Amino acid sequence: MWRLPKPRESLGVQLVLAILGFCLVFTVLTVAVRTWWAWQAGVAAMSAELTLIEQVYRRTLSKAIWEMDRESLDTHIASAANVPSVGRVVLKITPAHRAPEIVDRRQAGWVESGVAPARRLVLAYEPFPGSSETLGELSLFGDERVLWSRLGEEVAAIVTTQIIQSLLLASLILLVFRRSVTVHVQRIANHLGRLTPATLSQRLHLDRRGHREDELSLLVAGVNQLQGNLSDYLERQQRYESELAQHRDRLAELVRERTGELEALAAAQQLVLTLSNRLIHAPYDALDEHLIGCLRDVAQRLGASTAAWYVRDDATGGYTLYLHWQAAGAPASSRLQRVAAGDWKQLQSVLDRDELADFPSQAALAQTIGAGEAARVAEWGIDAAAFAELRGSGERFGLLMFGKPQAVAAWQADERALLAMTAQMLVHNVRHKAQLIDIVKGQQALRVVNAQLAELARSDALTGLANRRHFDEAKELEFRRAQRLQQPLSLLVCDIDHFKVYNDANGHARGDECLRAVAEAIRSSVRRAGDLVARIGGEEFAILLSATDEAAALALAERILDSVRDAAIPHAGSDAGPFVTLSIGLAVSTSQRANDFDALFQAADAALYRAKAGGRNRVVTAAPAASEAAIDPREPSDKEEVR
């Protein structure tokens, strides 16, 4: 009798080793995660300490710098540098009337680190409420050595805790496993080792205290049931082996046939995927050429000499040839460019029942759709034909035909699958093409609308000149360009004289006509493409003249006055003349004057006020100093009264 060999290693020991291995991996992961967490906590704690130091020394350092108390300043810096988490303290003092001074204190052996946190604080002092003076900048750099020291202590505690937990867990599991599992498993193994075909009737029984329904009980029941079934199985096995030998050869033949079919089907699927990807990435203007290429590749895969795509004419019910491909030497017929309604009536009936119809020969085709309709197909010089209708979601996109020059026994399953997949691919392509057309049209319309919106957003609706938004965008660009290129920048601020009186006397409609006429007169006078004319208020206009000195700007302003007077717009309520006139303020900015555009605008506006006060219908140039100084804020209200 065969005896069970003695195990070299206890299952409990293997379990403990597995548990220890798992605990080791778990310990490593836990240590890694907790180490990372401890590192982040250490960095956060050090950052908090640096923030606290900032809060503690912010006011004292600012006060010491302000009061120039060098002793107190050194004491505070030394105190901050002695904090264990601080590796370096840098104080940059930037007094208003002295050269900057840097105080640098660092711990012995400190090196700059990319992982230790650092803080930078701008020091400011309030000598009296409402006033703040920036005195310098305080930089605090954490000490990476402190981080590593704290991390080492934390990691040691973590590793020790995890190792103790793992050892205690493994010991407990080994003890329980030995008492409840190992002994009984050895008994079951001994019983199985004594089994032979002659002893299969001996039942397995375990001496266990009490009646327990656990996994071991299930195992004992399973072993006893297995012994009962094994006898029946051995008996049936001999019978099955003889039957299996008879079917083995037939099965191998069927497997080879099915494998060939699956390989052919996979090749067809790969071809359709390749063609579909080619059509998706095809340029819109070359899509038809790629479609013809797809028809050619599918036809060559099928061994066909002709491929044709007909589209249905809903108005007449006939078909029109859309795309076709023929192998070299295949006959062509001009009659097949268009098929009249009713010529393929029976064929359409067949396709209405099934989207795919194939015929191995002309005789089979004539038997199904009639000799007359079959004769039309024969004009392509084909004998075997297959048709697929392109349709989906209630839409019909045409008829697809492939023809072989000789009759075949039958169209194969992979060929029918290729025809069906090609039809679906072309249906998706038709929809894709329609979507592309809609997208192109939408993009074109969107570009036109965006251009119109952009123009409307930057133009004044009444006069067609640039609006205040356009003027505000252009003024800063032109001002910075003039400063950069060391060129003068001139500004004309124009206002219609007594326009409120004109509006009250003639009505707002005539007032709008007056504004348009004045705007046209100004625009016709400004002839350079780079100059900007804008309506910036009700009756107020601004002209921005780049690279223009005072003499040229003055000449242009006089030309504008003449052009407005020449427009001869009657104005009975004006004391400047019988017609509508302008008052213009001129200011020029150079690289040596004016720090920003607002000063230039205020200077031109003040000059306009003086033109109004001096009798209107004239140009007044701002004094040179006016482009640099701010204007009295009370002037705008006075100016409104003058206008």
Side-chain angles (χ1 to χ4, degrees):
M1 183 179 64
W2 178 78
R3 293 184 177 275
L4 189 68
K6 186 177 181 180
R8 297 182 179 179
E9 189 175 14
S10 172
L11 186 61
V13 174
Q14 296 180 25
L15 178 62
V16 170
L17 292 178
I19 294 173
L20 289 176
F22 170 77
C23 290
L24 177 60
V25 174
F26 180 75
T27 298
V28 171
L29 293 177
T30 303
V31 169
V33 172
R34 293 184 62 183
T35 299
W36 178 84
W37 184 266
W39 175 265
Q40 297 298 323
V43 172
M46 181 172 285
S47 180
E49 293 174 4
L50 296 181
T51 302
L52 181 60
I53 293 173
E54 283 184 357
Q55 296 173 354
V56 170
Y57 289 97
R58 178 199 300 265
R59 182 168 182 80
T60 57
L61 286 176
S62 299
K63 182 176 181 182
I65 296 172
W66 178 261
E67 296 176 353
M68 293 185 292
D69 188 351
R70 187 66 186 198
E71 181 179 356
S72 177
L73 181 65
D74 292 340
T75 300
H76 293 317
I77 293 297
S79 177
N82 288 331
V83 176
S85 59
V86 177
R88 180 185 179 189
V89 179
V90 178
L91 176 63
K92 183 178 180 181
I93 303 174
T94 56
H97 304 291
R98 288 184 297 158
E101 178 184 353
I102 296 178
V103 179
D104 190 346
R105 298 290 179 85
R106 63 181 69 189
Q107 298 278 9
W110 179 87
V111 293
E112 188 171 356
S113 169
V115 297
R119 301 282 298 179
R120 287 178 172 81
L121 171 67
V122 175
L123 298 177
Y125 187 73
E126 294 184 2
F128 52 87
S131 173
S132 178
E133 294 289 338
T134 300
L135 304 176
E137 182 182 75
L138 176 65
S139 299
L140 300 175
F141 298 88
D143 195 339
E144 183 180 346
R145 296 171 299 177
V146 175
L147 288 176
W148 287 112
S149 175
R150 294 175 179 176
L151 182 64
E153 296 175 357
E154 185 70 20
V155 169
I158 293 171
V159 171
T160 301
T161 302
Q162 291 299 126
I163 290 175
I164 293 174
Q165 290 178 353
S166 299
L167 292 176
L168 291 176
L169 177 62
S171 301
L172 179 60
I173 291 175
L174 178 59
L175 178 61
V176 173
F177 187 81
R178 280 184 176 277
R179 293 177 59 86
S180 60
V181 177
T182 304
V183 173
H184 302 296
V185 169
Q186 289 175 349
R187 184 183 298 275
I188 295 173
N190 291 331
H191 173 79
L192 294 175
R194 293 192 298 268
L195 282 179
T196 63
T199 60
L200 287 175
S201 59
Q202 295 180 0
R203 308 284 291 179
L204 172 63
H205 177 72
L206 298 179
D207 294 330
R208 304 175 67 192
R209 296 180 180 178
H211 181 71
R212 299 181 182 178
E213 295 294 336
D214 53 15
E215 288 80 358
L216 285 176
S217 300
L218 294 176
L219 179 59
V220 170
V223 169
N224 292 328
Q225 183 178 2
L226 178 62
Q227 291 178 202
N229 295 334
L230 189 56
S231 295
D232 298 335
Y233 172 77
L234 292 175
E235 182 180 346
R236 291 193 303 269
Q237 185 179 13
Q238 294 179 351
R239 184 174 70 252
Y240 292 157
E241 285 179 354
S242 61
E243 295 177 356
L244 181 61
Q246 299 175 6
H247 295 289
R248 185 179 295 114
D249 295 338
R250 178 56 183 165
L251 180 60
E253 182 180 353
L254 293 175
V255 168
R256 284 194 298 269
E257 293 177 0
R258 185 57 179 165
T259 301
E261 294 177 1
L262 292 177
E263 289 177 350
L265 181 59
Q269 290 176 335
Q270 184 60 41
L271 175 60
V272 172
L273 288 175
T274 302
L275 297 179
S276 178
N277 185 63
R278 185 189 306 170
L279 291 177
I280 290 174
H281 295 90
Y284 172 74
D285 52 358
L287 189 57
D288 287 349
E289 297 178 8
H290 284 75
L291 286 172
I292 294 176
C294 291
L295 293 179
R296 178 198 63 221
D297 293 346
V298 173
Q300 291 175 348
R301 174 70 176 77
L302 294 171
S305 60
T306 301
W309 181 354
Y310 285 92
V311 294
R312 185 179 178 87
D313 187 350
D314 294 332
T316 64
Y319 293 91
T320 302
L321 184 64
Y322 173 42
L323 295 173
H324 81 284
W325 172 85
Q326 284 186 284
S333 175
S334 60
R335 294 181 58 198
L336 295 173
Q337 294 293 328
R338 185 177 297 275
V339 179
D343 286 352
W344 280 349
K345 183 177 180 180
Q346 294 298 326
L347 177 61
Q348 184 63 57
S349 298
V350 174
L351 293 174
D352 286 342
R353 294 192 299 269
D354 190 355
E355 294 183 8
L356 184 64
D358 61 276
F359 307 95
S361 64
Q362 276 289 329
L365 180 62
Q367 184 179 1
T368 304
I369 66 174
E373 295 188 19
R376 297 298 305 271
V377 178
E379 294 184 24
W380 282 111
I382 61 178
D383 200 352
F387 300 87
E389 188 169 24
L390 307 179
R391 66 187 181 192
S393 301
E395 296 181 276
R396 297 177 183 266
F397 302 105
L399 184 66
L400 191 63
M401 183 199 73
F402 289 92
K404 297 183 179 182
Q406 288 85 28
V408 296
W411 289 79
Q412 301 300 317
D414 62 293
E415 294 177 330
R416 290 175 55 84
L418 178 58
L419 287 170
M421 290 187 291
T422 302
Q424 290 300 315
M425 177 187 69
L426 294 180
V427 168
H428 293 317
N429 178 260
V430 170
R431 292 171 176 167
H432 176 63
K433 184 177 180 179
Q435 292 173 352
L436 287 179
I437 293 174
D438 293 340
I439 290 173
V440 170
K441 291 181 179 179
Q443 289 176 341
Q444 292 174 348
L446 185 60
R447 282 194 291 269
V448 172
V449 171
N450 285 338
Q452 293 174 348
L453 290 176
E455 183 63 27
L456 290 174
R458 296 162 60 87
S459 301
D460 177 57
L462 178 63
T463 63
L465 299 177
N467 58 14
R468 182 60 182 260
R469 176 182 178 182
H470 189 180
F471 177 77
D472 289 339
E473 293 174 354
K475 69 182 184 181
E476 297 297 337
L477 295 176
E478 292 297 334
F479 186 79
R480 288 196 295 270
R481 182 184 294 114
Q483 294 289 313
R484 184 173 63 255
L485 300 179
Q486 303 291 305
Q487 293 177 343
L489 176 65
S490 297
L491 175 65
L492 302 179
V493 178
C494 313
D495 189 85
I496 300 177
D497 295 327
H498 295 300
F499 184 72
K500 184 177 185 306
V501 176
Y502 184 92
N503 246 353
D504 293 342
N506 299 283
H508 288 288
R510 292 289 299 276
D512 290 345
E513 293 178 4
C514 175
L515 287 172
R516 283 193 289 267
V518 172
E520 181 58 32
I522 296 175
R523 177 163 42 201
S524 63
S525 301
V526 180
R527 297 166 184 156
R528 290 197 314 177
D531 296 336
L532 178 66
V533 181
R535 181 188 178 198
I536 60 174
E539 70 273 16
E540 192 171 8
F541 304 87
I543 307 169
L544 199 59
L545 307 172
S546 59
T548 304
D549 58 15
E550 183 175 319
L554 184 59
L556 174 61
E558 295 291 350
R559 189 162 65 244
I560 292 172
L561 290 180
D562 294 340
S563 180
V564 172
R565 285 195 295 266
D566 292 343
I569 305 170
H571 189 357
S574 174
D575 58 6
F579 302 113
V580 170
T581 58
L582 287 180
S583 295
I584 301 176
L586 166 63
V588 181
S589 172
T590 64
S591 59
Q592 291 80 23
R593 302 204 303 262
N595 294 325
D596 54 36
F597 186 85
D598 291 340
L600 178 65
F601 188 89
Q602 290 178 359
D605 205 37
L608 172 63
Y609 167 70
R610 292 198 297 275
K612 292 283 187 179
R616 299 181 174 83
N617 191 22
R618 66 191 62 211
V619 182
V620 173
T621 302
S627 299
E628 303 174 3
I631 305 302
D632 190 336
R634 294 174 297 174
E635 288 188 2
S637 61
D638 296 339
K639 181 171 58 179
E640 292 299 330
E641 295 177 3
V642 173
R643 292 177 184 174

